Amino acid sequence: MSLYDRIINREEKISLVGLGYVGMPIAVAFARKAEVIGFDLNKEKIALYRSGIDPTNEVGDDVIAATSVDFTDDETRLKEARFHIVAVPTPVNPDHTPDLTPVEGASRILGRNLMKGSVVVFESTVYPGVTEEICVPILEKESGLVCGRDFKIGYSPERINPGDKVHRLETITKIVSGMDEETLEEIARTYELVVEAGVYRAESIKVAEAAKVIENSQRDINIAFMNELSVIFNRMGIDTKAVLAAAGTKWNFLNFTPGLVGGHCIGVDPYYLTYKAEQLGYHSQVILSGRRINDDMGKYVAENLVKSLIRADIPVKRAQVAILGFTFKENCPDTRNTKVIDIVRELEEYGIRPMIVDPVADAKEAKGLYGVELAGLSEVKEMDAVLIAVSHQVFTALTPEKIDGMFKSRENEKKVIVEVKGILDKKEMLGRGYSYWRL
């Protein structure tokens, strides 16, 4: 009987190593079909899951409360499983080189508890070669087992889009790969239990690793192009959003928009690819150019807010500015690698200490990572400028009257509104006399 058969008969268990925005939804999905152990080092996170709370907001408290996932921070429980999925972050260091510490640490933990006959599938985004050249030696060293004889490996890149309730694990085609044909089929059949859209069998682990890393690199480059266009059109006095609406009437025009590119995927993954390329003697031209453009957009937005203050005859130093939104994307509590912090730091250089408001964000995380204290939306009063940085639903629902109540009592032309995503009606804002600028 195959491992897949033993899993569906609930004779063997699946483990998830890493229960964040990616790992937790995978664990919950598999728990509907099999016995699942959900492991994470974060005792506080495990306690929340056990109490029926979803700190990621990815599946919701009701789903967590009802799931049969066996949440644990005891690594020895991994010995109970034979099919292991590793879904830990892969960030970059300050110098933009890959930080493989989390995936290496997860490999050591799993290796210490790896049993013969296991299949290990990595989901963390990496450059081609990491699974076989870095993770496998760690697994072998820690377990004393031999890959290919005692256990098998595969790679299936995560494609979950945090905060997206439409494109989910179940609805996105899943790329799978294995070290040999037998392993590939075991992995493919296992994922087919939960992925309604089906799986795509990549011809090798390196192909699957490369496919994932270029997905986000492609998006990064396209957004960089939009950001560069925004800078150019701003100098021309042309509204970028209006240009894109016109150009978008052509059937093959790609629907990208300018914005801040943060998070732990699009703003990170291109550096993994260019790092590996440089090891092989090739220095990226297009990819790194796009990264430089996107990394500078926070500063660019802040500079335009300052210019708007000057045009409105408002003293820049100690100006009262509110920033609405701090997470890396809309309707998601994750603040890791948010580029809104670049706006904050740049404004501080001008003597502005902005009030930061984000009812969706993980306030504890924001404080721990950036030293940022989040304020409530009701506290936004007597402002000189309001910058809408993230298009949370709570902000898209703001009425002009609500926005007007955020400012000091003065004529509207001295009320500065700056937007990153263009969620407000420009004509209406200008018609009301506001000093309005958007990316």
Side-chain angles (χ1 to χ4, degrees):
M1 185 181 292
S2 68
L3 177 57
Y4 165 80
D5 291 325
R6 296 199 302 276
I7 288 173
I8 61 175
N9 289 333
R10 297 183 182 269
E11 297 171 8
E12 294 287 3
K13 297 179 181 180
I14 296 172
S15 87
L16 259 295
V17 180
L19 296 174
Y21 292 84
V22 172
M24 183 275 294
I26 297 172
V28 170
F30 272 114
R32 299 187 182 105
K33 304 286 185 177
E35 300 294 320
V36 176
I37 296 171
F39 170 79
D40 198 287
L41 285 172
N42 189 325
K43 295 179 183 293
E44 184 177 330
K45 183 188 294 181
I46 293 297
L48 288 173
Y49 287 144
R50 283 176 172 170
S51 62
I53 297 174
D54 176 11
T56 70
N57 292 334
E58 283 299 299
V59 299
D61 294 348
D62 292 345
V63 174
I64 291 295
T67 186
S68 63
V69 176
D70 188 354
F71 294 111
T72 182
D73 56 12
D74 178 3
E75 67 172 68
T76 63
R77 295 287 312 282
L78 296 173
K79 293 177 181 178
E80 301 173 23
R82 291 295 181 276
F83 193 98
H84 304 277
I85 299 173
V86 179
V88 295
T90 43
V92 292
N93 295 306
D95 63 354
H96 295 150
T97 56
D99 178 7
L100 294 175
T101 303
V103 76
E104 290 172 344
S107 298
R108 279 190 286 272
I109 289 172
L110 183 54
R112 291 196 293 266
N113 300 283
L114 193 62
M115 307 299 287
K116 282 188 177 182
S118 293
V119 172
V120 181
V121 182
F122 289 88
E123 290 220 2
S124 306
T125 304
V126 292
Y127 57 79
V130 168
T131 300
E132 294 160 293
E133 297 163 15
I134 294 178
C135 297
V136 167
I138 294 174
L139 291 171
E140 290 183 322
K141 179 182 178 182
E142 296 293 335
S143 67
L145 304 177
V146 177
C147 184
R149 185 189 71 191
D150 301 319
F151 68 93
K152 300 293 185 71
I153 60 158
Y155 181 80
S156 179
E158 57 89 2
R159 281 176 159 176
I160 290 175
N161 187 25
D164 189 336
K165 303 305 180 185
V166 176
H167 301 100
R168 314 299 300 150
L169 170 69
E170 296 84 356
T171 62
I172 305 171
T173 301
K174 197 82 167 76
I175 296 174
V176 295
S177 64
M179 64 182 299
D180 53 41
E181 286 300 320
E182 180 185 7
T183 308
L184 174 61
E185 285 309 306
E186 289 275 20
I187 294 171
R189 292 177 73 196
T190 301
Y191 274 105
E192 283 174 338
L193 287 172
V194 295
V195 182
E196 297 167 7
V199 302
Y200 176 86
R201 293 163 171 78
E203 67 176 46
S204 70
I205 289 175
K206 285 188 174 68
V207 166
E209 290 170 325
K212 170 57 182 178
V213 81
I214 71 163
E215 288 175 16
N216 287 330
S217 296
Q218 182 188 65
R219 286 186 58 79
D220 193 47
I221 292 166
N222 278 291
I223 296 170
F225 176 50
M226 294 297 115
N227 280 333
E228 188 168 55
L229 290 179
S230 179
V231 173
I232 294 169
F233 293 146
N234 184 46
R235 295 191 178 193
M236 293 179 175
I238 301 173
D239 182 59
T240 304
K241 190 172 183 179
V243 174
L244 296 180
T249 58
K250 189 179 180 185
W251 77 92
N252 60 353
F253 187 79
L254 300 181
N255 185 29
F256 288 92
T257 57
L260 304 176
V261 185
H264 38 88
C265 290
I266 300 177
V268 171
D269 297 351
Y271 288 123
Y272 274 71
L273 183 57
T274 57
Y275 172 82
K276 184 62 176 179
E278 288 181 2
Q279 283 188 325
L280 299 173
Y282 180 79
H283 183 73
S284 165
Q285 305 296 314
V286 175
I287 299 172
L288 286 180
S289 293
R291 278 282 74 234
R292 283 191 293 271
I293 291 171
N294 287 340
D295 279 344
D296 285 344
M297 292 312 292
K299 179 179 179 181
Y300 177 72
V301 170
E303 288 174 345
N304 277 280
L305 186 147
V306 169
K307 291 176 181 177
S308 295
L309 288 172
I310 293 172
R311 285 194 294 269
D313 291 324
I314 298 172
V316 172
K317 192 172 184 180
R318 289 187 288 275
Q320 299 300 302
V321 176
I323 296 179
L324 307 187
F326 190 69
T327 62
F328 86 91
K329 68 174 297 186
E330 66 277 2
N331 306 316
C332 174
D334 198 347
T335 66
R336 290 174 298 169
N337 197 33
T338 176
K339 291 303 176 181
V340 180
I341 193 63
D342 294 348
I343 298 175
V344 175
R345 299 289 184 251
E346 188 66 19
L347 291 178
E348 288 174 343
E349 291 291 317
Y350 287 94
I352 298 172
R353 294 190 63 82
M355 174 187 289
I356 304 171
V357 176
D358 196 324
V360 177
D362 184 329
K364 185 176 181 181
E365 183 180 74
K367 175 66 174 177
L369 292 177
Y370 308 101
V372 167
E373 295 278 3
L374 299 178
L377 190 57
S378 62
E379 298 177 58
V380 184
K381 299 175 181 177
E382 299 296 310
M383 293 293 144
D384 295 307
V386 173
L387 190 159
I388 305 177
V390 185
S391 54
H392 292 317
Q393 288 179 352
V394 67
F395 300 145
T396 60
L398 290 173
T399 63
E401 291 75 22
K402 181 68 175 178
I403 292 171
D404 195 59
M406 297 177 177
F407 288 91
K408 292 176 179 175
S409 181
R410 55 159 64 114
E411 57 272 25
N412 277 6
E413 62 264 25
K414 291 186 179 295
K415 297 175 182 177
V416 174
I417 299 175
V418 171
E419 278 202 88
V420 171
K421 299 301 292 183
I423 64 177
L424 300 177
D425 186 313
K426 179 182 178 181
K427 288 184 178 180
E428 183 175 12
M429 291 298 104
L430 292 177
R432 287 174 172 267
Y434 288 104
S435 172
Y436 178 83
W437 182 91
R438 71 183 180 195
L439 190 59

